[in-house]
Amino acid sequence: MAASTGGCSSSSDSLFNNFYVEVKEIEKRDSVLTPKQQIDRLLRPGSTYFNLNPFEVLQVEPEAVLDDVKKQYRKLSILVHPDKNVDDRDRAQKAFDIINKAYKTLEDEQSRKRALDVVEEAKGRTDQMISEKRKKQKKEGKGSKVEEDDPVKYKHAIYVMTMKLFADMERKRRQLEEKDMEMRKRKREQEIEDEEKQKIEKEWQKNFEESRENRVNNWKAFQQGSKTKKMKGGFRPPKHKAEQR
């Protein structure tokens, strides 16, 4: 999931706001949601962001105890199970996998704690944002009341911040994963290069040894040939020249 900054921030906020409206509408008719509606909810456009939050996927509050989470998981898993949606099996399987992943996240103590930490951080950041907003309004003479004083809008603000934090966490995870893959790729490329160098060096050494042996044999043959020629020709003393007077 690629994340951008600057001008894309407002579009991200708008996207998260739309998610919130959709989720609230879905929650209102939660008791009568059909399998198709649940599948559509989990696979609707932009659901990649939404599905990072396991509490929203399972439609449970962060404070819910594990037994309640388990009951909700069973209810949703039955609704979207591929065997219960034979006319839409592929999409049902995707929705079923999303629910399973969310439940496994909340079932595991460590991963659930990480998810709860995200929610708590979202609350902290939201409270800080509201405090700064209130101070700014007071300074401008607009009073201390802010729209987030409305419990519904306060919950909305926390929801938006929570989604942003989950998105940031996922982006960092992918960046680390890509960095790790790149490092492993470079390491493997270096290993291949070193292996190729060793292969070339080994081949060169082999050829050198073979040519060395040939050179030694050729030299021995040359020396042997020279000795043979000398033996065949025999020794011839120099001719004596008569002294001239």
Side-chain angles (χ1 to χ4, degrees), residues 29-72:
R29 43 178 216 271
D30 181 51
S31 60
V32 294
L33 277 182
T34 65
K36 183 181 184 306
Q37 287 174 323
Q38 283 290 1
I39 293 171
D40 289 343
R41 175 180 73 88
L42 294 166
L43 301 181
R44 69 189 184 280
S47 59
T48 300
Y49 292 93
F50 169 84
N51 293 335
L52 292 173
N53 186 341
F55 301 109
E56 290 294 338
V57 170
L58 295 177
Q59 296 181 310
V60 296
E61 293 296 329
E63 299 81 12
V65 296
L66 187 56
D67 284 344
D68 291 339
V69 173
K70 188 177 295 185
K71 290 176 183 178
Q72 180 67 359

Side-chain angles (χ1 to χ4, degrees), residues 117-132:
D117 287 343
V118 172
V119 175
E120 286 302 311
E121 184 177 350
K123 289 180 180 178
R125 291 196 185 190
T126 300
D127 290 341
Q128 180 65 27
M129 179 270 293
I130 293 172
S131 177
E132 292 175 358

